[in-house]
Amino acid sequence: MKITPLRIDLIPQILALMDLGAPYVKARTASDYWLYATLFSSTCPTALINDELAGAVIAFRSQDAPNEVYIQDVMAHPDHRRAGIAQALIGHVRDQATAWNCTRIYLTSEPENTAAQATWESMGFSNAGGDRIVNGVPVIADFKGPGKDRAVYQLSI
């Protein structure tokens, strides 16, 4: 597996990969991925196996709180799941965040996405708490807009 920053030439593969993530991960537009590859590639690593895209993370360093990195999307190709791809990609983001002296990486998850929650916890993320419980998980109501309750997971670095 080779980890490389998101590149413009990978956009068609990124779109196809993210389409496989429904219902929790949804592909953005080609224009969005161009933006990520052009302005945020240091926190948008991809995993290549034999030059084929096996996984990707889309993450950003906050401009308002530059000690934080937010992970928007994590996706491993179904044919390559449970092979350490997500862990390697998140590790790359963590290394970059550490180099920037960030103190926190965080992400969100739908309360019913138990597989993702187990993944985050196995990587050392913890639930940041919330204002209510959904499916046994602390969530913040309307975190991503009206009706979009999310469990927030964080990793202190």
Side-chain angles (χ1 to χ4, degrees):
M1 172 175 38
K2 180 181 176 185
I3 304 293
T4 182
L6 178 58
R7 304 183 316 253
I8 292 170
D9 65 296
L10 292 173
I11 291 173
Q13 289 186 61
I14 285 281
L15 288 164
L17 175 69
M18 295 299 177
D19 274 341
L20 299 173
Y24 302 115
V25 175
K26 297 178 181 90
R28 315 257 183 244
T29 68
S31 178
D32 291 328
Y33 292 114
W34 174 90
L35 175 76
Y36 306 154
T38 303
L39 299 177
F40 300 103
S41 65
S42 61
T43 53
C44 294
T46 62
L48 299 172
I49 297 177
N50 299 322
D51 295 324
E52 294 295 321
L53 190 64
V57 166
I58 304 299
F60 314 99
R61 184 181 188 186
S62 173
Q63 291 182 353
D64 295 331
N67 63 325
E68 297 184 341
V69 171
Y70 173 71
I71 297 175
Q72 168 118 358
D73 291 319
V74 177
M75 184 65 192
H77 192 284
D79 293 343
H80 297 287
R81 290 197 179 137
R82 301 195 184 276
I85 289 171
Q87 186 170 3
L89 292 168
I90 300 269
H92 179 86
V93 172
R94 182 182 180 159
D95 290 347
Q96 182 61 61
T98 299
W100 286 332
N101 295 314
C102 294
T103 58
R104 178 179 180 234
I105 299 172
Y106 71 106
L107 51 82
T108 65
S109 181
E110 288 84 350
E112 63 276 2
N113 192 349
T114 56
Q117 293 163 22
T119 299
W120 313 142
E121 290 172 356
S122 76
M123 290 185 201
F125 285 79
S126 61
N127 187 296
D131 51 23
R132 62 192 193 121
I133 304 292
V134 176
N135 295 333
V137 179
V139 300
I140 298 172
D142 301 329
F143 187 84
K144 285 199 163 181
K148 296 183 179 181
D149 302 345
R150 294 295 185 267
V152 177
Y153 288 85
Q154 62 186 5
L155 178 67
S156 296
I157 52 175

